[in-house]
Amino acid sequence: MNPLYLNIIAIAGLTLYACSTSPGLSNRGLSPCPDKPNCVSSQSSDKSHAITPLTYTGSPDAALKRLVTLVAAQPRTKLITEEDDYLHFEFRSKWFRFVDDVEFWLPKEQPGIIHIRSASRLGYSDLGVNRKRMEQIREVFSTDGK
């Protein structure tokens, strides 16, 4: 293969990697959304990324178990991390197999609240897919829990 093409591929790969988001908890909660319209987070103060957290009654353990059951039942979804107060799932798109990271965090200092974050790993716009997904999860979680 032409060395020029190899360099272009390497640069494109590094650029896409650098534009990806990092799931996980920090000392202040979920990772912030990048400056792109492909992420929503209940901890964001930016109106374009902000979304309302989920709420629950009862025990945090029961809320997490309910989330695992309903989210894992979604197509092309894989549970990556399950902790006492945190869940991380990967969602893959049907056609191009793009990965979105979906996270749930139950802060001990805010009983009844589940902070949420959904972000595309690559690209710029997601055409509202992450927001729509989280609102669908909210609807099923709220209905299922009553």
Side-chain angles (χ1 to χ4, degrees):
M1 183 178 259
N2 184 329
L4 177 61
Y5 291 123
L6 289 175
N7 286 335
I8 291 171
I9 291 170
I11 290 170
L14 289 173
T15 301
L16 288 174
Y17 177 76
C19 293
S20 67
T21 61
S22 300
L25 290 173
S26 68
N27 60 351
R28 297 191 304 167
L30 300 171
S31 297
C33 284
D35 191 24
K36 299 184 289 183
N38 65 2
C39 176
V40 294
S41 173
S42 60
Q43 292 192 290
S44 179
S45 57
D46 175 12
K47 192 175 181 178
S48 66
H49 294 115
I51 190 168
T52 305
L54 301 179
T55 58
Y56 67 95
T57 56
S59 76
D61 289 341
L64 277 177
K65 287 178 185 172
R66 212 164 76 234
L67 274 172
V68 168
T69 300
L70 80 91
V71 175
Q74 303 295 314
R76 299 172 307 283
T77 303
K78 180 179 179 183
L79 178 60
I80 303 301
T81 306
E82 182 176 7
E83 297 175 1
D84 292 344
D85 62 349
Y86 174 78
L87 299 171
H88 171 213
F89 292 88
E90 287 181 351
F91 279 71
R92 288 200 180 270
S93 64
K94 186 174 184 176
W95 300 110
F96 294 108
R97 312 298 286 165
F98 294 128
V99 177
D100 292 343
D101 291 294
V102 175
E103 301 172 276
F104 302 91
W105 174 51
L106 289 75
K108 291 175 182 25
E109 63 277 357
Q110 294 178 313
I113 298 293
I114 303 173
H115 282 293
I116 58 178
R117 181 179 184 271
S118 184
S120 302
R121 283 192 187 169
L122 301 175
Y124 183 75
S125 177
D126 68 346
L127 303 174
V129 168
N130 284 294
R131 183 173 299 278
K132 182 179 176 184
R133 173 187 300 121
M134 296 312 275
E135 292 300 348
Q136 288 172 338
I137 289 171
R138 175 192 318 284
E139 184 178 329
V140 174
F141 183 78
S142 298
T143 305
D144 187 44
K146 295 185 179 180

